[in-house]
Amino acid sequence: METKEIAVITRMVLEAMEKERPQKPGFEVPVGISARHVHLTQEHIETLFGSGYQLTKKKELMGGQFASNETVTVVGLKLRAIENVRVLGPARKASQVEISATDAVRLGVKAPVRESGDTKDSAPIAVVGPKGAIYLKEGCIVAMRHIHMSPKDAEAAGVRDKEEVSVQADNERGTILRHVKIRVDESFTLEMHIDTDEANACGIRQGQTVTILQKGR
């Protein structure tokens, strides 16, 4: 048998063995569906709700954050508005409004897909509360999908902070989502955050899991 034939047969055998080898399961992550919400500075909280006002907690969230009992109305171009938008606390250094792409169409604004906190040159938006209103020249974004992890979880998943991965929803839609940002901090619990548009398109419900795929897939 010639060398070329041996090489071809060997390759075929190795490929067959690879197909038979059970694949190592990926790292599973529960999903949290993030609805539209607002982050505010203390100055803006007082403008919207009154002098000296402090947000009141409705539900504890990860990383020291909480969903407050307070809600506001966000107003886009041509006075298009969405009411009862939840305010998250505590107060931040800069105010921002996080919406879905569908919300952006409804409001008539061109909100870019950004990581939370990256609001430079983002869409303008107005926020109205019971005691006043504010106008943000920039600050309205569609939040980039991301995964919160503790350092221990990141080590187990083989990923690093700020890295981007792909994840797969193993359901009837079988969707693969790319460009998912990893965010690692001691205060984080394991959860992937997507907005309502993404959840509906992928057929994902709150608490279901997705699987982190191997890098490069």
Side-chain angles (χ1 to χ4, degrees):
M1 187 177 294
E2 295 185 3
T3 304
K4 282 187 178 181
E5 293 176 333
I6 294 174
V8 170
I9 293 172
T10 301
R11 185 173 65 252
M12 291 174 63
V13 170
L14 290 175
E15 288 176 353
M17 291 175 63
E18 184 65 28
K19 289 180 180 178
E20 291 298 324
R21 181 183 302 166
Q23 296 216 341
K24 183 179 179 180
F27 191 84
E28 292 191 350
V29 181
V31 177
I33 300 170
S34 181
R36 64 181 78 99
H37 59 272
V38 176
H39 298 281
L40 297 169
T41 64
Q42 183 57 37
E43 178 186 357
H44 286 163
I45 290 171
E46 295 189 33
T47 299
L48 297 173
F49 296 98
S51 178
Y53 194 90
Q54 298 292 320
L55 297 175
T56 57
K57 293 183 180 180
K58 178 182 176 68
K59 180 182 178 181
E60 291 283 353
L61 304 174
M62 73 176 69
Q65 295 190 85
F66 60 88
S68 76
N69 291 298
E70 288 72 27
T71 61
V72 293
T73 298
V74 294
V75 184
L77 302 179
K78 300 180 181 179
L79 298 181
R80 297 175 184 175
I82 298 178
E83 299 178 336
N84 299 316
V85 180
R86 185 73 53 190
V87 179
L88 300 191
R92 285 198 174 186
K93 294 180 180 179
S95 295
Q96 73 177 39
V97 177
E98 297 183 32
I99 60 176
S100 69
T102 298
D103 291 337
V105 173
R106 177 177 171 183
L107 291 168
V109 299
K110 295 181 179 179
V113 177
R114 296 280 184 81
E115 188 173 359
S116 181
D118 181 9
T119 58
K120 182 175 174 57
D121 298 325
S122 59
I125 197 81
V127 182
V128 181
K131 299 293 185 178
I134 60 172
Y135 175 73
L136 304 176
K137 292 183 179 179
E138 54 185 21
C140 183
I141 64 171
V142 174
M144 180 180 186
R145 48 184 174 254
H146 56 277
I147 298 175
H148 290 283
M149 285 184 168
S150 67
K152 184 178 179 180
D153 288 326
E155 183 179 358
V159 296
R160 301 182 304 275
D161 187 40
K162 304 299 184 183
E163 182 178 0
E164 289 188 8
V165 298
S166 297
V167 303
Q168 178 170 313
D170 189 17
N171 56 19
E172 64 275 9
R173 290 191 179 270
T175 310
I176 293 177
L177 296 171
R178 303 189 186 278
H179 306 301
V180 182
K181 181 69 71 72
I182 298 294
R183 297 172 61 180
V184 180
D185 191 272
E186 287 284 0
S187 65
F188 291 161
T189 53
L190 183 63
E191 191 170 64
M192 176 177 171
H193 287 173
I194 59 176
D195 65 28
T196 50
D197 280 359
E198 293 173 318
N200 290 335
C202 299
I204 297 174
R205 295 189 299 275
Q206 179 80 16
Q208 290 186 328
T209 61
V210 294
T211 302
I212 296 179
L213 303 177
Q214 295 177 353
K215 299 174 189 178
R217 293 187 60 180

